[in-house]
Amino acid sequence: MGKLHILMIPYPVQGHVIPLMELAQSLAKYDLKITFANTESTHKLILNSLAGKNILPDQIHLISILDESESGEDKNVPGKLSEAVFKIMPGKIEKLIQETNASDEDEKITCVIADQSLGWAMEIADKMGIKRAAFLTAAAANLVLGFSIPKLIDDGIIDNHGTPAIQDHTFQFEPTMPIMNTSDLVWTRMGNLTMQKIIFDMMVHNNKAVKSADWLICNSTYDLEPGAFNLAPEIVPIGPLLARNCVEPSMFPPEIEPRISSKESPNSLAGSFWPEDSTCLNWLDQQPLCSVVYVAFGSFTIFKEAQFQELALGLELSNIPFLWVVRSDALDAKTDIFLKNFVKRIGRQKGKIVSWAPQQKVLSHPSIGCFVSHCGWNSTVEAISNGVPILCWPYFADQFMNQSYICDIWKVGLGLKKEANGIISCGEMKDKVEQLLGNDAFKKRALQLKKMTMSSVKEGGRSHQNFINFIQWIKSS
């Protein structure tokens, strides 16, 4: 008999691809064959970012399942769902499974692990009699919100289309869960009304599909979200996935002992859409302990010219060393000129600007003092796992919920207030950076949370045991 064969299907945006790839890299250590299926444009971006790197285990096979003429992807519109992902890709995946299992008796696809948002993947696997697991790339609270939609409708908080009955109405499912605002719900922060309805309807549909999965796993821990896991015990945390490289092989039962590839090393990351600029690590080496402000807003955030300039001036006014990630696709000609003049003015020692950074290595660097973040769940977990306080600047979707975790529940960060014109001023930026770095209580709580979170993947930790159980389930007949 050949290797057990897993088909993994991410939603094709970076914030979803990276954690599923981290899971793939973790699973590849257990003598499992993994086929990682993407749309063609996402597939090409990953291959380009991996050029010259020898970090992907031989057990992981990257494939393209949709060509560009079919995918119709638009990566420039946050939250936009490609029609192909939901209408064309399911047929392609079903055909792939049928053809693979008909031609390869020894390495049939026996398990599908798909992004939780792709409920159709669970339905296909169920129909074909294949094991299936849904993977939640966001906080467990995000899915609790989805599961609670019927109750929110019954309570008159939203209507049948997800539209808030009362604007700016706040509620909380449980004391250790985020404080939610009807104006900041996942779907109400996703573009125009048409887009909001698409997201809302998808969540309602996925509630049914995801509950048919054999496993519903997520990149979180019981310590981070006790209330969410109490309300939805079917969600099983196995995170933080980025910490799995630190787990000693002796912690695993002999029957699932991991086989560590010589290609792998701590913080080796596959799945990024952009080549990383590692020169920033050398720059960080020259900075004092806990002195640098790291600024990065993920793969979607785009600022208007006025806001971009206020951010830059805020960093300059703070007079604190900073590392700032500015994606090339987020710059227009005018902003590019401003940025070049800004770099000349501040000098190399004061700040470093890169188009993309090896974020996990940056956040684990001892010179990092705080993280100015869009509060995506991956970035949030990475900061927490490294004991780094967070200055919150959410952009869309679940990022506002994550900000509440950071500021209201965990108390390891601060939010930023907008002016009447919707702009976060340079003065507000300067003041909050100084507050975050000047108050040792934030760092102390962040380090306590790091200790709890990282212990979850070590022997005796609940995420560790959940992951062992998950591997054993995959390998069971």
Side-chain angles (χ1 to χ4, degrees), residues 11-12 39-42 66-77 80-86 88-89:
Y11 184 81
T39 59
E40 184 174 4
S41 58
T42 298
L66 281 177
D67 66 38
E68 290 177 333
S69 64
E70 295 173 306
S71 66
E73 294 173 272
D74 187 349
K75 296 283 195 306
N76 296 317
V77 181
K80 178 164 182 166
L81 300 175
S82 167
E83 182 178 353
V85 171
F86 293 94
I88 300 175
M89 202 169 183

Side-chain angles (χ1 to χ4, degrees), residues 3-4 6 23-34 57 59 244 247-249 251-261 264 464 467-468 470-472 474-475:
K3 287 182 169 65
L4 291 172
I6 301 171
L23 177 58
Q25 288 178 283
S26 297
L27 294 175
K29 299 172 183 177
Y30 301 92
D31 205 29
L32 300 168
K33 177 180 177 180
I34 296 165
Q59 295 95 322
R244 298 225 163 267
V247 175
E248 296 295 330
M251 294 180 181
F252 293 85
E255 64 271 19
I256 61 165
E257 189 75 9
R259 299 183 180 183
I260 308 296
S261 167
E264 298 175 71
H464 168 75
F467 189 69
I468 289 175
F470 184 57
I471 295 290
Q472 290 175 328
I474 290 174
K475 293 197 166 192

Side-chain angles (χ1 to χ4, degrees), residues 19 30 82 140 147 220 237 248 256 274 323 325 380 413 416 443 462:
Y30 301 92
S82 167
F147 289 163
S220 187
E248 296 295 330
I256 61 165
W274 292 280
L323 170 61
V325 176
T380 299
L416 291 155
K443 183 65 174 179
R462 297 177 74 182

Side-chain angles (χ1 to χ4, degrees), residues 2 32 56 77 89 110 174 182 186 201 271 274 295 304 349 361 369 385 415:
L32 300 168
L56 202 61
V77 181
M89 202 169 183
T110 55
E174 201 269 357
T182 51
V186 174
D201 290 345
W274 292 280
V295 186
K304 293 181 179 178
Q349 198 59 33
K361 292 180 181 179
S385 298

